[in-house]
């Protein structure tokens, strides 16, 4: 894809920030284990958060491709930090489209300034793939809803400033039709949260969020009652392409490091990069990542052109984490015994990208979406 001058300028800003501010401390941040909110504010001041949002909401009015370029560059430096702008673009797009204007006007600028993080709460203890079959209940009580139940496996669970949740307002057997979406500030009474002991993405964390008689005004509902699932879930095509690019950024960092090492490290009297057994797997990795990257750009360009891109987004979402994991693993092996040490970042990148083989929908679910696009919903067995 040929980039415009504006896209190249923003890409360069993100690249410099990622390589100078993020990459050197990627592993140190994991050891500290909490999200550095000052770093997020700094990204806000640099204009790297919500670039796709209108200027009056703190964005730059950029397109989806530019948003993807930034996610990719930031993930080169720190895959986990790059989850913040991806979340902001997804959540703010949902708020701008489906929230009451007063709610969007209060929260979206806070998100683009790096002052507010929003967690998306869909998964429940009984499962995530069959997403519309959820049980968390929102009962109408005058001009409020009263919310009860548990969401689990939620990214940013214990550090979010607000929650975008899906709850059942209709009958239990209504499926997606009886589901509504709500925006809930994190300091609303009745909310409690936990943190899991995870394999990766430690700084952004994952956990459960409990809602115990949480009262939320009716104007915090997103979209129409009973239509939240269908209306709000459409936004996820966007984040799936952005996630693909996050994975490309992380894999590219390991590839660059592995190529540099292959030029220096010697075995049998010559640099190991001269052995095709070393260079060809890395060349294959470059090819896979280049292919996924272009697919993600293409998907985002379809979004910018307001064209359908659900299948393409599902392709980005399963291929991104899978190829990135495999490529980073190959890079780890290129470093021989050093690669097996926690001193090098490849093991952390592998753990971090592997979370998104599950999060935001597994590869199996993405392939069902692609199949549904080809042979229709009725032909695909859920
Ligand atoms: C790192 C991470 C971050 C996450 N962040 C969030 C978040 O922010 N918000 C949120 O709501 N959720 C989040 N999740 C939860 C995630 O969306 C769910 O884990 C995911 O949708 C799968 O649901 P499940 O784990 O309940 O697996 P299940 O639905 O129980 O599925 C178990 C296995 O069966 C397979 N399977 C299920 N149905 C089918 C089928 N029809 N055909 C073929 N295979 C099938 C699945 O692919 C999976 O391998 C996150 C998960 C992870 C790991």
């Amino acid at each position: 894809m040929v980039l415009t001058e504006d896209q190249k300028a923003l890409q360069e800003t993100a690249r410099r920030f990622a390589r100078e501010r993020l990459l050197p401390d990627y592993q140190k941040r994991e050891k500290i284990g909490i999200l550095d909110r000052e770093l997020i504010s700094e990204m806000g001041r640099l204009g790297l958060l919500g670039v796709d949002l209108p200027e009056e909401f703190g964005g730059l009015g950029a397109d989806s491709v530019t948003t993807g370029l930034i996610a990719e560059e930031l993930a080169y430096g720190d895959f986990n930090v790059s989850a913040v702008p991806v979340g902001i673009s997804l959540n703010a797009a949902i708020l701008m489209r489906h929230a009451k204007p007063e709610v969007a006007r209060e929260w979206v600028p806070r998100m683009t300034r790096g002052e507010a993080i929003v967690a998306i709460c869909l998964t429940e203890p009984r499962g995530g793939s069959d997403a519309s079959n959820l049980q968390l209940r929102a009962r109408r009580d005058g001009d409020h809803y009263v919310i009860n139940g548990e969401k689990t496996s939620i990214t940013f669970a214990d550090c979010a400033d607000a929650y975008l949740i899906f709850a059942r307002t209709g009958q239990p057997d209504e499926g997606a039709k009886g589901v509504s979406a709500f925006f809930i500030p994190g300091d609303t009474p009745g909310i409690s949260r936990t943190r899991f002991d995870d394999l990766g993405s430690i700084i952004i964390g994952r956990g459960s969020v409990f809602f115990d008689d949480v009262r939320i005004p009716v104007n915090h509902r997103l979209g129409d009652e009973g239509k939240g699932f269908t209306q709000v879930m459409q936004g996820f095509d966007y984040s799936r392409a952005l996630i693909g690019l996050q994975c490309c950024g992380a894999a590219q960092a390991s590839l660059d490091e592995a190529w540099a090492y292959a030029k220096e490290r010697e075995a049998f009297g010559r640099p190991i990069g001269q052995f095709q057994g070393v260079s060809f797997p890395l060349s294959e990795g470059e090819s896979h990542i280049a292919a996924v990257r272009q697919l993600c750009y293409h998907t985002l360009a379809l979004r910018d052109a307001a064209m359908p891109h659900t299948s393409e987004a599902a392709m980005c979402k399963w291929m991104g984490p899978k190829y990135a994991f495999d490529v980073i693993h190959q890079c780890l092996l290129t470093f021989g015994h050093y690669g097996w040490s926690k001193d090098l970042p490849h093991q952390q990148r592998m753990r971090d990208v592997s979370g998104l083989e599950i999060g935001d929908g597994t590869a199996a679910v993405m392939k069902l979406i692609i199949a549904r696009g080809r042979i229709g919903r009725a032909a695909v067995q859920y």
Side-chain angles (χ1 to χ4, degrees):
M1 168 163 286
V2 180
L3 303 181
T4 65
E5 290 307 312
D6 283 351
Q7 286 171 331
K8 281 192 217 158
L10 269 170
Q11 183 186 40
E12 185 50 34
T13 305
R15 180 169 295 172
R16 208 170 327 115
F17 180 77
R19 293 173 197 219
E20 290 171 10
R21 291 284 285 120
L22 298 183
L23 188 59
D25 289 335
Y26 170 55
Q27 293 174 268
K28 191 169 147 199
R29 274 190 290 277
E30 179 177 68
K31 289 202 181 92
I32 295 169
I34 48 170
L35 187 61
D36 178 353
R37 297 297 289 260
E38 179 45 40
L39 197 59
I40 306 305
S41 300
E42 195 179 333
M43 286 161 63
R45 289 193 292 277
L46 278 172
L48 294 173
L49 302 177
V51 292
D52 47 348
L53 298 166
E55 288 180 27
E56 66 265 31
F57 284 85
L60 300 173
D63 58 12
S64 314
V65 172
T66 310
T67 310
L69 292 170
I70 290 173
E72 182 184 357
E73 291 299 336
L74 294 176
Y76 188 104
D78 189 322
F79 184 76
N80 304 312
V81 170
S82 75
V84 174
V86 168
I88 287 173
S89 288
L90 169 66
N91 291 318
I94 292 171
L95 287 188
M96 306 271 306
R97 196 151 176 205
H98 300 293
K100 293 278 178 287
E102 63 272 21
V103 175
R105 267 198 304 272
E106 180 186 347
W107 281 89
V108 175
R110 290 182 61 190
M111 291 156 73
T112 51
R113 286 198 297 269
E115 292 167 6
I117 288 179
V118 177
I120 292 224
C121 305
L122 180 60
T123 305
E124 297 187 359
R126 58 100 248 105
S129 301
D130 186 8
S132 66
N133 183 20
L134 54 85
Q135 291 167 357
L136 183 132
R137 190 87 214 148
R139 177 178 54 81
R140 183 81 184 245
D141 181 21
D143 55 1
H144 280 70
Y145 285 92
V146 181
I147 296 170
N148 278 290
E150 177 186 352
K151 293 290 182 182
T152 196
S153 189
I154 306 304
T155 303
F156 302 121
D158 72 340
C159 65
D161 303 287
Y163 299 93
L164 197 163
I165 72 152
F166 294 85
R168 184 156 298 287
T169 42
Q171 298 308 309
D173 53 2
E174 273 186 313
K177 278 193 199 126
V179 174
S180 305
F182 298 90
F183 185 80
I184 309 184
D187 58 3
T188 311
I191 296 178
S192 54
R193 45 228 191 150
T194 63
R195 175 178 269 243
F196 299 161
D197 185 12
D198 271 344
L199 265 187
S201 290
I202 305 299
I203 62 167
I204 55 178
R206 202 171 56 101
S208 284
V209 186
F210 299 89
F211 298 86
D212 187 10
D213 279 338
V214 171
R215 289 180 70 80
I216 193 79
V218 169
N219 75 343
H220 277 57
R221 194 185 65 224
L222 303 175
D224 304 328
E225 180 166 302
K227 300 221 173 107
F229 194 79
T230 359
Q231 290 175 338
V232 177
M233 286 293 283
Q234 282 164 6
F236 284 61
D237 287 344
Y238 188 22
S239 56
R240 286 177 182 156
L242 297 178
I243 286 170
L245 284 168
Q246 280 182 273
C247 294
C248 290
Q252 193 64 55
S254 278
L255 276 169
D256 290 353
E257 290 159 14
W259 283 119
Y261 188 69
K263 269 167 76 180
E264 279 170 19
R265 176 74 168 177
E266 292 196 356
F268 302 97
R270 60 174 72 175
I272 58 171
Q274 289 186 12
F275 302 117
Q276 293 180 350
V278 173
S279 65
F280 280 16
L282 296 181
S283 299
E284 288 167 17
E286 287 284 348
S287 314
H288 288 142
I289 295 305
V292 175
R293 177 185 293 121
Q294 292 305 321
L295 174 64
C296 295
Y297 292 166
H298 169 66
T299 304
L300 293 171
L302 288 174
R303 181 179 193 269
D304 286 331
M307 291 171 70
H309 54 283
T310 297
S311 295
E312 289 81 358
M315 293 175 198
C316 299
K317 173 58 187 57
W318 82 260
M319 290 172 79
K322 196 227 171 322
Y323 282 108
F325 184 89
D326 292 349
V327 167
I328 297 167
H329 179 230
Q330 190 57 52
C331 295
L332 182 152
L333 298 179
T334 305
F335 280 82
H337 75 91
Y338 293 114
W340 182 240
S341 158
K342 284 193 173 172
D343 289 345
L344 293 190
H346 312 294
Q347 45 78 30
Q348 186 184 337
R349 291 199 189 107
M350 269 171 66
R351 289 185 282 109
D352 286 348
V353 300
S354 79
L356 285 175
E357 290 190 278
I358 304 165
D360 205 279
T362 63
V365 168
M366 294 305 123
K367 290 171 194 175
L368 286 174
I369 292 170
I370 297 163
R372 199 172 65 202
R374 293 305 305 263
I375 58 175
R377 179 178 281 273
V380 180
Q381 195 69 48
Y382 274 98

